[in-house]
Amino acid sequence: MNILVAAISVAAVAFLLLSSNPNIPESMRPGLSTTLLALGTAGLLIVASVLALLRLQFARWLMLAAALIFFGILGFQSLALLVSSGASLPAEAAPKLWANVIRNTLEIAINAWALLSAKTGSFFRGSRPNQSFKADGSAAA
């Protein structure tokens, strides 16, 4: 999930930077610092997720930190826009921004739940949660 979401973010930034579509105003194109932050956080999430899938012990915590940074920044942006815009925000924008805040909070919660569970600990220790299970049924009582 993290890899896909971060890859979509990279694709969106690349589209905004490289598109020659005249319907995209220059104000929508990210600047250098925004591009570096977006690509850096997305790249960190992708790399940390791949390393975690390879069972590197430190990658579990790196992936959790990357998810907090990536989804935290996205949630904070939406929340900051909601708070700072106040009544000047179009009526149809507020529910979408609240949905973004909630979705990013859920992404952080899902990552914390998945990375801090006992099964994940077993995964990183290299063992299987149900080692007594055998496909041929020979371990059945």
Side-chain angles (χ1 to χ4, degrees):
M1 173 183 73
N2 286 346
I3 295 170
L4 180 63
V5 170
I8 291 170
S9 180
V10 169
V13 170
F15 174 76
L16 287 174
L17 287 174
L18 303 174
S19 177
S20 60
N21 186 340
N23 294 326
I24 300 174
E26 281 302 313
S27 61
M28 289 295 297
R29 298 188 191 275
L32 179 62
S33 61
T34 304
T35 300
L36 292 177
L37 182 65
L39 295 179
T41 56
L44 176 63
L45 187 58
I46 291 169
V47 169
S49 299
V50 168
L51 292 175
L53 288 172
L54 295 174
R55 291 186 180 186
L56 296 175
Q57 189 63 34
F58 74 93
R60 176 184 190 184
W61 305 111
L62 182 63
M63 183 175 158
L64 184 57
L68 282 169
I69 293 167
F70 182 82
F71 294 113
I73 287 173
L74 293 177
F76 178 75
Q77 284 176 333
S78 295
L79 188 61
L81 187 58
L82 273 166
V83 171
S84 67
S85 296
S88 64
L89 193 65
E92 65 275 359
K96 292 178 182 179
L97 289 171
W98 278 117
N100 282 338
V101 171
I102 292 168
R103 184 174 33 254
N104 286 301
T105 303
L106 286 173
E107 293 283 357
I108 291 170
I110 289 168
N111 274 281
W113 171 71
L115 292 167
L116 300 176
S117 74
K119 287 188 179 188
T120 305
S122 294
F123 172 79
F124 279 100
R125 284 190 299 278
S127 62
R128 295 185 191 154
N130 296 322
Q131 287 183 334
S132 64
F133 175 77
K134 298 210 188 267
D136 62 2
S138 62

